[in-house]
């Protein structure tokens, strides 16, 4: 689910009907560079893997041939162009691989009424794709209440779009970061962080959100960001959550630069057993 009610012209929007992770047996290939949001505990070419605690993330940088789709899934993309069908199939391969690592049997992953993926009972998840990259993140709801991920090319947003996605306060922050850390496309990172925020909130709140519904503040040194909501946030374990802390990372893969963001909301602890 994307938090954007209508697509913004000139921007790739991550799949609004589901999201991806990485399967086993992928040859990651050589690393060509990492941005300041990179983490030393990740693999050389990982973009999202290792960023979110208690979450299984599977990611792919290519579309394998002949991916199996369930009939219900194939029906959703039977009239789509080839690129869309390949994205749709690969992101589900990622998701099913991630679910298998949780011990969840395979099955169709279909979009719900609002476009967000309908995950199996007891699973929180998110999917994303951009040109050259697909990923899915899943976790048990006993541990994680919600997760949201997004990936984008690490390049500036199309002309004029920044003003649609960033508040004046955020644009001032972006200007400062562009001077101090020019290797990151900060407007694109902000866009991605808002997408991750919306994907995190939707399963908990059941409502679409707009760009103006949160403020993103990136931390260029820690590879994190805060997302502060301007609408009442979800209630988790009896407590309203209005601010999230997310992680971001950049990677260069075969001369293509990517930026990705992710948020995980821990589940409320189980009540203590009184003996």
């Amino acid at each position: 689910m994307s938090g954007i009610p209508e697509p913004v012209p000139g921007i790739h929007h991550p799949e609004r009907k589901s999201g991806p992770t990485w399967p086993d047996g992928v040859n990651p290939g050589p690393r060509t560079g990492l941005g300041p949001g990179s983490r030393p505990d990740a693999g050389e070419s990982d973009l999202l893997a290792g960023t979110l605690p208690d979450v299984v993330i599977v990611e792919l940088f290519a579309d394998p041939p002949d991916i199996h789709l369930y009939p219900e899934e194939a029906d959703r993309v039977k009239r789509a162009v080839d690129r869309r069908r390949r994205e749709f199939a690969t992101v589900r391969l990622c998701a099913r691989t991630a679910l298998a690592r949780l011990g969840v049997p395979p099955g169709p992953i279909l979009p719900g009424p609002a476009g967000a993926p309908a995950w199996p009972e007891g699973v929180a998840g998110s999917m994303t794709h951009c040109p050259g990259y697909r990923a899915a993140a899943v976790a048990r709801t006993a541990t994680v209440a919600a997760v949201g991920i997004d990936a984008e090319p690490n390049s500036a947003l199309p002309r004029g779009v920044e003003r649609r996605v960033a508040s004046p306060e955020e644009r001032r922050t972006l200007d400062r970061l562009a001077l101090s850390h020019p290797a990151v496309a900060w407007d694109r990172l902000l866009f991605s962080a808002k997408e991750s925020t919306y994907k995190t909130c939707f399963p908990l709140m059941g409502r679409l959100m707009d760009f103006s519904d949160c403020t993103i503040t990136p931390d260029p040194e820690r590879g994190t960001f805060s997302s502060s909501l301007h609408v009442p946030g979800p209630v988790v374990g009896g407590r309203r959550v209005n601010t999230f802390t997310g992680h971001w990372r950049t990677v260069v893969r075969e001369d293509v630069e990517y930026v990705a963001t992710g948020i995980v909301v821990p589940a409320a602890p189980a009540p203590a057993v009184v003996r």
Side-chain angles (χ1 to χ4, degrees), residues 17-18 68-76 88 91-93 95-96 99 104-112 116-121 127:
K17 302 184 179 180
S18 62
H68 168 75
L69 286 178
Y70 287 85
E72 308 97 304
E73 294 172 331
D75 186 64
R76 297 299 181 106
F88 185 91
V91 86
R92 279 157 180 76
L93 170 63
R96 279 190 270 275
L99 289 169
V104 178
I109 303 172
L110 299 173
W119 296 101
E121 184 73 21
M127 298 190 285

Side-chain angles (χ1 to χ4, degrees), residues 145-211:
V147 58
I149 63 171
D150 182 76
E152 301 285 333
N154 185 27
S155 58
L157 292 172
R159 186 179 182 86
V161 172
E162 181 184 307
R163 290 186 172 273
R164 297 183 59 182
V165 303
S167 67
E169 174 190 354
E170 288 173 323
R171 291 200 298 273
R172 288 190 291 270
T173 298
L174 297 180
D175 289 342
R176 290 195 300 270
L177 290 171
L179 292 175
S180 62
H181 296 76
V184 179
W186 292 104
D187 57 348
R188 186 75 71 160
L189 186 147
L190 178 138
F191 173 84
S192 178
K194 292 197 174 190
E195 285 285 299
S196 287
T197 299
Y198 304 150
K199 292 179 182 181
T200 300
C201 288
F202 182 79
L204 300 175
M205 299 168 61
R207 55 156 288 184
L208 295 174
M209 297 175 68
D210 192 62
F211 286 118

Side-chain angles (χ1 to χ4, degrees), residues 23-50:
D24 293 323
V26 177
N27 176 12
R31 175 181 64 175
T32 55
L34 292 173
S38 305
R39 289 173 41 134
D41 57 342
E44 284 192 340
S45 293
D46 292 340
L47 182 54
L48 279 165

